[in-house]
Amino acid sequence: MDLGKLFFCGFDDFNEEAREVIQKYRPAGVLIYPGVLSKEYLFLDFMNFLSRNGRFIVSSDHEGGQLEVLKYVPSFPGNLAAGKVDPVFTGRYCEMAGRIMNTLGFNMVFAPVLDLLSEKGSAVVDLRSFGSDPEVVASHGMEACMGYFKGGVIPCIKHFPGHGKTADDSHYLLPTVNASFEELWREDLLPFRRIFQSRVKTAVMTAHVKYPAVDDLPATLSKKLITEVLREKLNFKGLVLSDAMEMKAISENFSVEEAVRFFIEAGGNMILLDNFRDLPVYYESLKKLIEDGSIEREKVERSIKIVDEYLSALENRFNSGLIAEVAERAIECTRMRKELLGREVVLLVPSNKNLSPADTTGDDYDLIPEVAKRFFKVRDVIRYDIEAGPDDVDGELIFDFVVNASKNEQVLQAHLSLPSDRTIYFIIRNPFDAKFFPGRSVVITHSTKPISVYKSFQHLLGRCSS
């Protein structure tokens, strides 16, 4: 059995460890966090990697308003504000956001939030709710789901059966909602019911919240809530995800084995992990529980089938990955001395200066040190004036980022005066500069962009595939 399909993993970084985890355990779900999204070169490389490694459900937490992580999607006043106007505006925003996400390579979004706003509720809900009126939340939730679906991403509605009636935050402890099932059915569950009745394609995320009137276990681990209420009473046949299992509501009250066993036995399908580094432990626990009979194989097989249905229905575009592909394929290297690459590095970085009114590349240079530190131990960063060239510098290994040196003899000589046996020249702007460095180690990126610098470092270290 392909057990990796039962996991949805969060990635706050994209590095060799992340590559190895994906290739070894093959999680079907990839949740991309701000740690990757805030560094565009990492995001582009991640999408390029995914495009080469199969089919994935790729999601973000971008809801608009209180929780926004995708800089490419315009900021939105949020659900609480949207709940005060016609639901059509919610649908239009979600369609726009969905189209942008789809273009970038996402095919799911962990939204909309269907939790009701309560006067005594927690800040974990607040602005994420469309309001206190179940009918209003249902109307906006419906428009949001249809908008996302039109935009090309599957909505994942949350947090079933409702997180709004508690003042506690499940990130920190296990909340309790002391409401009767009749009250839950009439209020908190109404938005879920309406969306299921519409048959728009969604996934569902469970709440790490206890509802004693129904079960002593939190919803995420409750067979009564997932199978008897969600599957049977509400007739939902689709994909059920847990909220992140590392949240303290679960992790401080249940062992890994208990959380895995209860969730799968309850009828859940995909275990969401906040941190991809936790996948090996959860994966091995699931494997052990199946082998010793603590989890029914039939339930695992049924969950894998549901995940496969979603994987088949979802489009993997990975359009943004082509940007990393272009950067990677454009790199040229000459006379590279690999033995130098294990040494401390001195970076010679151009000053932040645009060279023409039709030039916005100056800011690109500011990111070179950040990118370099992902791959090398950087001893020093020296900024030099593009019009004067670098001063004399000493170091075990020097990375000299060259900008239009051949246009200025003084600048060219300054670059050439660096120790040739310990300097690697990165020609990041004018490829004709390269001919003035004969017999030296040269990398031609044909671009100033951080993704191109990033790929040039990967190329030096033998980590590029093209």
Side-chain angles (χ1 to χ4, degrees):
M1 286 186 288
D2 192 352
L3 298 183
K5 288 183 176 176
L6 303 189
F7 292 94
F8 215 119
C9 294
F11 290 83
D12 61 353
D13 197 0
F14 182 58
N15 50 27
E16 289 305 303
E17 184 183 11
R19 292 170 188 267
E20 290 170 6
V21 165
I22 291 174
Q23 290 175 329
K24 181 175 180 179
Y25 296 98
R26 309 296 300 175
V30 172
L31 174 61
I32 303 183
Y33 280 133
V36 174
L37 294 168
S38 63
K39 296 177 175 60
E40 187 178 76
Y41 58 90
L42 285 186
F43 170 66
L44 298 175
D45 197 39
F46 201 171
M47 287 302 189
N48 192 35
F49 172 81
L50 293 177
S51 73
R52 297 171 172 177
N53 282 273
R55 298 187 64 82
F56 299 91
I57 305 173
V58 185
S59 186
S60 82
D61 279 326
H62 191 101
E63 300 166 1
Q66 180 170 319
L67 185 52
E68 296 184 334
V69 297
L70 274 170
K71 65 180 180 180
Y72 309 99
V73 179
S75 186
F76 188 59
N79 291 351
L80 192 58
K84 304 302 291 183
V85 299
D86 194 307
V88 71
F89 290 103
T90 297
R92 287 168 60 186
Y93 169 77
C94 292
E95 182 176 354
M96 175 188 67
R99 290 191 187 282
I100 295 170
M101 293 176 194
N102 176 270
T103 299
L104 292 170
F106 294 93
N107 49 30
M108 181 174 281
V109 59
F110 288 170
V113 170
L114 300 184
D115 301 325
L116 304 183
L117 181 67
S118 168
E119 185 175 354
K120 296 181 179 179
S122 167
V124 76
V125 175
D126 273 8
L127 298 169
R128 301 167 73 193
S129 172
F130 288 110
S132 303
D133 186 335
E135 293 287 353
V136 170
V137 175
S139 297
H140 283 270
M142 178 77 71
E143 288 291 334
C145 287
M146 291 191 296
Y148 283 129
F149 193 76
K150 288 178 185 176
V153 295
I154 299 293
C156 180
I157 55 180
K158 57 189 185 184
H159 304 83
F160 179 86
H163 199 308
K165 282 186 166 66
T166 174
D168 296 323
D169 185 340
S170 52
H171 289 89
Y172 305 115
L173 49 81
L174 178 55
T176 297
V177 168
N178 291 306
S180 67
F181 181 73
E182 291 71 23
E183 185 180 351
L184 290 173
W185 182 264
R186 186 175 63 251
E187 298 178 2
D188 301 72
L189 283 170
L190 187 140
F192 292 94
R193 289 162 46 203
R194 291 284 169 77
I195 288 170
F196 296 151
Q197 289 164 3
S198 74
R199 299 193 181 280
V200 63
K201 192 174 186 65
T202 68
V204 172
M205 181 181 291
T206 59
H208 295 335
V209 177
K210 278 205 307 185
Y211 307 83
V214 183
D215 198 352
D216 289 332
L217 289 170
T220 296
L221 310 181
S222 170
K223 186 174 183 178
K224 290 181 179 179
L225 281 163
I226 295 178
T227 294
E228 295 179 17
V229 177
L230 179 59
R231 297 292 195 195
E232 296 173 359
K233 198 171 184 66
L234 297 180
N235 199 35
F236 180 72
K237 306 299 183 186
L239 184 65
V240 176
L241 286 75
S242 73
D243 206 341
M245 287 294 196
E246 298 96 332
M247 292 165 65
K248 292 182 179 180
I250 300 297
S251 64
E252 292 195 348
N253 293 283
F254 302 89
S255 68
V256 169
E257 286 195 0
E258 287 174 330
V260 171
R261 178 166 60 86
F262 284 139
F263 177 69
I264 298 297
E265 284 292 304
N269 307 127
M270 294 187 79
I271 294 168
L272 175 62
L273 298 176
D274 177 69
N275 189 336
F276 72 90
R277 299 168 187 87
D278 294 329
L279 176 56
V281 173
Y282 280 80
Y283 183 98
E284 293 302 326
S285 291
L286 175 60
K287 184 178 177 182
K288 177 179 178 292
L289 288 163
I290 295 169
E291 289 172 349
D292 67 19
S294 298
I295 291 179
E296 298 175 40
R297 284 182 174 270
E298 183 183 351
K299 288 193 174 181
V300 174
E301 290 167 355
R302 190 181 309 139
S303 285
I304 291 174
K305 183 178 179 182
I306 291 173
V307 174
D308 279 336
E309 289 172 356
Y310 275 70
L311 284 169
S312 298
L314 293 170
E315 186 177 18
N316 278 151
R317 295 173 64 101
F318 298 126
N319 283 347
S320 53
L322 67 87
I323 299 171
E325 189 80 11
V326 170
E328 183 173 309
R329 291 177 180 272
I331 293 165
E332 299 176 28
C333 294
T334 62
R335 298 182 63 85
M336 205 50 57
R337 296 179 57 192
K338 299 290 186 181
E339 69 273 11
L340 291 173
L341 298 179
R343 303 178 181 179
E344 283 190 329
V345 178
V346 174
L347 301 180
L348 296 181
V349 181
S351 55
N352 183 326
K353 184 177 183 181
N354 297 327
L355 301 183
S356 161
D359 182 19
T360 61
T361 60
D363 290 342
D364 295 340
Y365 311 141
D366 293 340
L367 289 174
I368 291 174
E370 174 191 302
V371 179
K373 289 173 183 177
R374 293 189 64 83
F375 298 95
F376 302 99
K377 186 174 182 181
V378 176
R379 194 195 82 191
D380 201 4
V381 178
I382 300 172
R383 302 299 293 263
Y384 72 85
D385 187 337
I386 291 176
E387 300 299 330
D391 295 327
D392 289 339
V393 65
D394 193 25
E396 293 182 354
L397 177 60
I398 301 166
F399 286 174
D400 181 19
F401 291 84
V402 180
V403 173
N404 282 16
S406 57
K407 302 291 181 72
N408 183 313
E409 184 63 27
Q410 175 189 340
V411 171
L412 178 59
Q413 290 306 316
H415 287 291
L416 288 171
S417 68
L418 298 171
S420 61
D421 61 332
R422 286 174 283 133
T423 301
I424 297 177
Y425 296 93
F426 291 78
I427 311 299
I428 59 174
R429 190 177 181 97
N430 184 352
F432 294 110
D433 284 352
K435 69 180 181 180
F436 293 95
F437 298 89
R440 303 197 182 203
S441 297
V442 173
V443 179
I444 308 172
T445 64
H446 297 95
S447 173
T448 63
K449 295 301 169 187
I451 183 63
S452 295
V453 174
Y454 171 86
K455 281 296 181 182
S456 72
F457 292 146
Q458 283 191 327
H459 192 93
L460 288 181
L461 296 171
R463 299 178 188 171
C464 284
S465 59
S466 62

